[in-house]
Each structure stands twice: as structure tokens, then as C-alpha cells.
Amino acid sequence: MEWMIAVSFGEIFLKGKNRNIFYKQAINNIKRNIREIKHGKMYTESSKLYIEADRQDFDKLKENILKVFGISYLAYVLKTNKDLDSIYEATKEVVENSYADNKYTFKVESRRTDKTFKLKSPELSAKIGGFMLRDFPNLRVDVHNPDFKLYIDVKENVYVYADRFEGLGGLPIGSSGKGLLLLSGGIDSPVAGFMVAKRGMKIDCLHFHSYPFTSKRALQKAIDLGEILSAYTGKMTIYSINLADIYKAINQNCDRRETTILSRRFMMRIANKIAENKEYQALITGESLGQVASQTIESISVINDSSERPILRPLVAMDKKDIIDISYKIGSYEKSIEPYDDCCSIFAPDSPLTKPKLKYIKMSEENLDIEKLENEAIEKMEIIEIS
Ligand code: ATP
Ligand code: MG
């Protein structure tokens, strides 16, 4: 008998012919997340992934594996031989491990993938349940609302376990194309990236700073946030663009109240150029309707006009509180609230337009050499790789 980790995949199996690609993708993402933690052989047996490891490393492995999208649950399982005695030996150890010392109700759930095994699933459950009642006086059966379930998976080997740790669900990264996340240093954009990545989109990040008006720390913060995200999304590229000259040009040539909206349109056009070059199918932002001046429906509409590609806004209808909850869960909140000088806030006007009109914004843009400003910014782009 041997303890090991079992990983079960969820929604992937709804996806017909792409199933194998997604399955491999999820397993690769798991391998990446545990490459620095000691573990033994990995193999699959009828659609579950099994990982050999020392018990003392289980919790660390679990924490890292559960960041991978596409997992429905993970369990610590006892692998044993395919005969009734061995199965009951394993059952006893599983129960003694966590459910022997108190009054609990239970239910046995057997699943038989190997139909040559002589007992059918209900018969196996009944037999094992009977043995448990005989040997553990604290336990009672409750088939409707048990305190714990004792699972028996009969495959090539038999796996016995009691507890399941729920995964994040979602789809494996890479199954929904490739997008470019506009990553600021705030709370919202990392959450937005997490949400589209959860639907299977591979993401890289684009960060705008305005050094020397903002400190080097602003960029470092975006990189740190990218690193936190990459535990879920896999390796990523961060493109970093200096907007200082663009802000200067806007300040010199346009109405100050238009700074925010004009700079957002620059961000979008630059993002589109990078997307064109590097083949991103969509842009992603952390915009949420009504949250600030640049996020009124009028602003969003004027910003949209500057993008050829779809802008995905997964937070558009979410309250700040719910966004913060997710940010806590994924581990980006503490980093996001560190103080820093954002390029947008430094150049932000005291009273930004809340209802910009596309016609007037386009007239203002005629005062700027947009092509030249953008191309110069892109030429000086820095690229940071998170492996
Ligand atoms: P966040 O918390 O993500 O910074 P926010 O609530 O501060 O968002 P805004 O500052 O209006 O809202 O930004 C809206 C979105 O525009 C951000 O979520 C991000 O996707 C993008 N964005 C804003 N500033 C930057 C920046 N400096 N670099 C990259 N993207 C940015
Ligand atoms: Mg912000």
C-alpha cells in the first residue's frame, strides 16, 4: 500500500475532440507548478492523474497543484491491490487516519472502471461498509447526508480515500486562445487576468509606466503581480512601455481634462500594435462600470473606439468588494495595495471628463503626432520573461 496524490479533472471532459490536448495542457501546467517540490513518478489511470510523493510533501504539492485550472478536485489516496482483503486494509488505514476517534456517519462510494473485478460497485460498497461497522464502533451509516464518504476507485489498481480538496475548476490554460492583459499596479487588473485565464486563455501582460515621473518601483510592482498571476497562468511575458513622452505631448497640446481618456486610447492603440505583432486575439482590462471617471459607459465607449481587437472586461459588472475577495483568494491583494505612483494618477486631471464625446476627443488627437509617439514608445519597449 502506498499513499499518493490523485488529481481529477472537470470541465475538460465536456470538450469532445480537443479533450486530449486540454488534458495534456493541464498536466503540463501541474508539472510546471511542482517542478521545485520533491515528488516521484506521475502517471494517469482512466482519466485521473496520480503522483507519487513523500507524505510530508503532500500539502505543499497540493497547494501548488490546486492553482492549475481545469482541476475539479485533488485527493490523498491509498493505492492498493485488487482484492477484497487489500481494499479493506486500505480502508482501515484511511479511516484510522482521520475518522476513527469520533462519532461520524459515512457512506461508501465505489466506482468500478475495471469491469472484470468480481464484485459490482454496490456489492463492494456494502461489503466494505459492513466491515467498517464491525470494526469501528463509533461509525454509523448515513447514505443521504454523511459526515464523510469513503471512496473506492477500482481500476488497474485500487485507490481508497476519504477527503476531496476542491479545485478552481475552469479550463486549462491554452484552450481559449491568447490575450494581452493591461496590467497596472492596482487591485483590479490582476483579478481580470485571473478570470479570463480561468476560462482557458493564455495571458501575457502589458504595463505602462512613466519613468522618470514615476519611480522604478511601479514597474517592479507590476512584475511582482505578474509573478503571482503566473502561478495560475504559467510562464508569461511582460511588456513594459514608457508613456512619459506621450503624457508630455498630451499636456502640451490638449485640454487637461482629456488627459485620462486620451492616454487610455494611446494604451489601447499601442496594445493593438503589440497584439498585431505577437498574435494576441484580445485585450483584457480590469475596468468595472462606474468605478471611476474613466469607467463611465461614455468613457468605455470612447476607449473601445480605439481598439480593433475585442476588449474583454471580466469585472465590468462586479462590485469592488467582490473583486477584492477574489484578489485575496488568488494572493495578489497585499501586493496590489502597496503604495506606488501610477502613471495615470500622476498625470490625472483634477476634474477629468466623465462624459467624453468621441468627436471632440478625435479633434484633440489631431494636435498630436500619434503614429510617431506610439512607434517611439514601442521601440523602447522592455520585455521581461517570467519562466
Ligand atoms: P486597476 O485596479 O487594475 O489599476 P483601476 O480601478 O485603478 O484598475 P483604472 O486606473 O481606470 O482603474 O484602469 C482601468 C484599467 O486600465 C486597468 O484595470 C488596467 O487594465 C488598465 N490600466 C490602467 N492603467 C494601466 C497601466 N499603467 N498599465 C497597464 N494597464 C493599465
Ligand atoms: Mg489603476
Side-chain angles (χ1 to χ4, degrees):
M1 286 198 300
E2 186 191 356
W3 282 99
M4 46 202 319
I5 289 181
V7 182
S8 173
F9 300 91
E11 212 174 331
I12 305 177
F13 294 104
L14 299 174
K15 284 250 169 175
K17 64 175 194 278
N18 288 328
R19 170 182 176 270
N20 274 333
I21 302 172
F22 296 163
Y23 190 60
K24 279 211 187 94
Q25 185 67 54
I27 289 175
N28 280 341
N29 294 344
I30 289 174
K31 284 185 182 155
R32 175 186 184 272
N33 274 15
I34 62 173
R35 67 191 163 181
E36 275 156 28
I37 308 168
K38 187 164 150 259
H39 62 277
K41 207 172 75 182
M42 287 170 100
Y43 62 90
T44 53
E45 219 181 291
S46 46
S47 82
K48 272 189 199 173
L49 173 71
Y50 294 92
I51 305 166
E52 295 174 353
D54 295 338
R55 277 217 84 178
Q56 79 238 27
D57 298 320
F58 274 22
D59 288 348
K60 190 84 199 122
L61 286 164
K62 176 185 77 173
E63 190 190 319
N64 284 267
I65 293 168
L66 285 180
K67 287 184 172 174
V68 172
F69 297 122
I71 293 174
S72 62
Y73 64 84
L74 175 155
Y76 299 160
V77 302
L78 200 49
K79 177 185 185 180
T80 190
N81 297 331
K82 210 164 18 184
D83 60 77
L84 197 59
D85 286 347
S86 304
I87 295 175
Y88 188 55
E89 276 308 298
T91 301
K92 272 207 296 207
E93 187 167 334
V94 168
V95 173
E96 273 157 9
N97 207 36
S98 28
Y99 293 104
D101 53 353
N102 237 319
K103 287 194 187 308
Y104 288 110
T105 58
F106 74 97
K107 175 190 182 181
V108 181
E109 258 184 36
S110 307
R111 238 176 320 166
R112 193 178 54 139
T113 323
D114 176 4
K115 303 291 181 200
T116 65
F117 185 66
K118 60 183 190 301
L119 295 173
K120 291 189 175 145
S121 301
E123 293 166 357
L124 176 61
S125 296
K127 274 245 180 326
I128 296 293
F131 294 159
M132 286 166 72
L133 290 172
R134 182 193 65 199
D135 294 344
F136 297 98
N138 276 332
L139 299 184
R140 275 186 306 115
V141 171
D142 180 348
V143 291
H144 301 295
N145 192 21
D147 295 325
F148 75 96
K149 286 184 181 170
L150 192 281
Y151 298 95
I152 305 172
D153 289 352
V154 182
K155 304 179 168 180
E156 244 168 87
N157 299 284
V158 176
Y159 301 90
V160 181
Y161 64 98
D163 300 306
R164 289 177 171 179
F165 305 99
E166 211 182 315
L168 292 168
L171 298 170
I173 297 289
S175 57
S176 299
K178 204 172 122 179
L180 186 60
L181 170 68
L182 278 75
L183 179 70
S184 66
I187 293 170
D188 301 334
S189 37
V191 174
F194 172 85
M195 286 176 73
V196 293
K198 186 172 170 189
R199 296 310 303 162
M201 184 169 266
K202 156 104 181 67
I203 56 169
D204 289 321
C205 299
L206 171 58
H207 175 72
F208 296 98
H209 64 90
S210 44
Y211 184 78
F213 301 105
T214 55
S215 69
K216 286 270 183 211
R217 275 189 33 225
L219 171 59
Q220 188 53 49
K221 187 178 178 190
I223 297 172
D224 293 346
L225 284 169
E227 240 155 44
I228 292 169
L229 265 185
S230 76
Y232 302 93
T233 66
K235 61 181 179 191
M236 75 165 51
T237 303
I238 300 183
Y239 306 95
S240 160
I241 294 254
N242 191 339
L243 280 188
D245 290 338
I246 289 177
Y247 273 113
K248 271 194 276 180
I250 294 176
N251 271 4
Q252 280 159 14
N253 298 293
C254 309
D255 182 339
R256 242 184 102 68
R257 286 172 307 165
E258 294 173 346
T259 308
T260 308
I261 194 86
L262 286 168
S263 62
R264 278 303 142 81
R265 282 167 59 87
F266 267 104
M267 287 184 190
M268 287 303 161
R269 283 188 301 259
I270 290 173
N272 270 274
K273 284 184 175 165
I274 296 171
E276 173 73 38
N277 199 279
K278 310 267 182 189
E279 298 180 345
Y280 296 101
Q281 295 149 302
L283 309 179
I284 304 118
T285 72
E287 288 162 303
S288 164
L289 190 58
Q291 204 184 79
V292 290
S294 58
Q295 299 177 16
T296 60
I297 189 61
E298 289 82 359
S299 297
I300 286 181
S301 147
V302 174
I303 291 169
N304 246 26
D305 170 80
S306 60
S307 180
E308 284 162 27
R309 282 178 179 62
I311 302 174
L312 306 183
R313 299 179 170 92
L315 312 185
V316 72
M318 285 178 71
D319 293 341
K320 192 76 186 187
K321 181 187 160 297
D322 299 328
I323 299 170
I324 288 175
D325 283 350
I326 299 179
S327 138
Y328 259 121
K329 276 197 206 120
I330 65 178
S332 59
Y333 183 75
E334 296 299 330
K335 179 54 72 178
S336 287
I337 59 170
E338 278 178 13
Y340 81 118
D341 33 357
D342 177 29
C343 61
C344 314
S345 42
I346 284 196
F347 290 97
D350 298 333
S351 54
L353 288 182
T354 54
K355 296 188 175 183
K357 289 230 162 35
L358 185 57
K359 191 172 79 177
Y360 297 119
I361 295 300
K362 283 191 163 164
M363 280 162 64
S364 289
E365 284 174 350
E366 279 171 19
N367 300 328
L368 300 165
D369 191 344
I370 288 182
E371 271 303 302
K372 181 162 171 277
L373 286 166
E374 287 175 5
N375 291 342
E376 281 172 3
I378 291 173
E379 259 164 45
K380 286 184 241 153
M381 176 167 81
E382 287 176 76
I383 297 181
I384 298 111
E385 300 288 354
I386 297 176
S387 62

